[in-house]
Amino acid sequence: MVKIVDGIHALETFAQTALVVDSHLILIDTGVDSKATDLLKALKRIGYQPRDIEFIVITHTHPDHVGGLKTMVEKTEAVVAAHEIEIPYITRKERYPGPPGPQRHEPVDVNHVLKDSDKFEGLLVIYTPGHTPGSIALLAEEKSVLIAGDSVQNEGGLQPMDDRYNINPEQHRESIKKLAQFEFEHLIPGHGRPVIGGASQKLKELARKL
Ligand SMILES: [Zn+2]
């Protein structure tokens, strides 16, 4: 687990998972492993118990972001929050209308409905559809960190996600342009290395090329 700033940590298992530590713990995404082994170990290493996590926010329902959700809910009893459009995919009442194929995660109930521009436990919810219908990014404004989910990736430079994984590639790019209107120092992408310093400037450069 890598400390991005005081109170925000990122763990890359396959996809990035973020942990916001303030007055209480917020976990953002849950990795690919259905047993959440690395995540639970990392949590212990920074001195917390699963029960310390009060909220789990899901950016979208791809297997590498919700794989450990069921386990984490059982171990934490946390409130699960997601964008209203994404909820039927998390509960598996619906399937994504396109790639990348069937969802296999254990269905989990969502207890808190998020919408664009909501403030949730100190995080600004930014609706970023295109990768999936109800994808979100979360801006920790005080700490100046954007937790981007799969709205953008940083495997060899900031880029859109590979279009094989985007339900609506054009909308995905519009969402990157939307994120580029915000100001933040650091960025945790869904895949690849966190961007430390000058992150919104780098995202603006990418948005100009799209
Ligand atoms: Zn994804």
Side-chain angles (χ1 to χ4, degrees), residues 60 62 64-65 131 150 161:
H60 68 294
H62 282 153
D64 47 337
H65 296 257
H131 182 62
D150 282 359
M161 289 293 286

XYZ file of all heavy atoms in Angstrom, residues 60 62 64-65 131 150 161, ligand 1:
65
model
N -17.191 1.375 -10.222
C -17.915 0.675 -11.288
C -17.776 -0.827 -11.052
O -17.007 -1.258 -10.190
C -17.423 1.085 -12.667
C -16.029 0.632 -12.975
N -14.931 1.104 -12.296
C -15.551 -0.265 -13.880
C -13.846 0.529 -12.781
N -14.185 -0.316 -13.737
N -16.710 -3.608 -12.776
C -15.831 -4.595 -13.406
C -15.215 -5.502 -12.335
O -15.014 -5.079 -11.192
C -14.747 -3.901 -14.237
C -15.279 -3.420 -15.553
N -14.741 -2.364 -16.227
C -16.321 -3.878 -16.302
C -15.434 -2.184 -17.362
N -16.392 -3.094 -17.419
N -12.383 -6.558 -11.530
C -11.171 -6.163 -10.810
C -11.428 -5.011 -9.825
O -10.511 -4.561 -9.132
C -10.037 -5.800 -11.789
C -10.477 -4.880 -12.895
O -11.685 -4.840 -13.190
O -9.618 -4.194 -13.475
N -12.648 -4.546 -9.737
C -13.008 -3.489 -8.780
C -14.021 -3.978 -7.733
O -14.102 -3.411 -6.655
C -13.555 -2.260 -9.516
C -12.521 -1.631 -10.399
N -11.850 -0.474 -10.065
C -12.005 -2.030 -11.592
C -10.968 -0.185 -11.012
N -11.050 -1.110 -11.955
N -16.946 4.425 -19.596
C -16.263 3.148 -19.313
C -17.337 2.117 -18.963
O -17.353 1.011 -19.495
C -15.262 3.347 -18.190
C -14.487 2.111 -17.851
N -13.658 1.487 -18.747
C -14.456 1.363 -16.716
C -13.145 0.408 -18.173
N -13.613 0.310 -16.947
N -11.802 3.812 -13.263
C -11.340 3.557 -14.629
C -11.767 4.671 -15.590
O -11.984 4.439 -16.771
C -11.831 2.195 -15.122
C -11.014 1.047 -14.546
O -10.061 1.317 -13.782
O -11.321 -0.116 -14.858
N -8.933 4.497 -21.046
C -8.877 3.038 -20.957
C -8.940 2.470 -22.377
O -9.481 3.098 -23.296
C -10.063 2.501 -20.153
C -9.989 2.800 -18.666
S -8.636 1.937 -17.820
C -9.271 0.252 -17.767
Zn -13.174 -1.124 -15.477
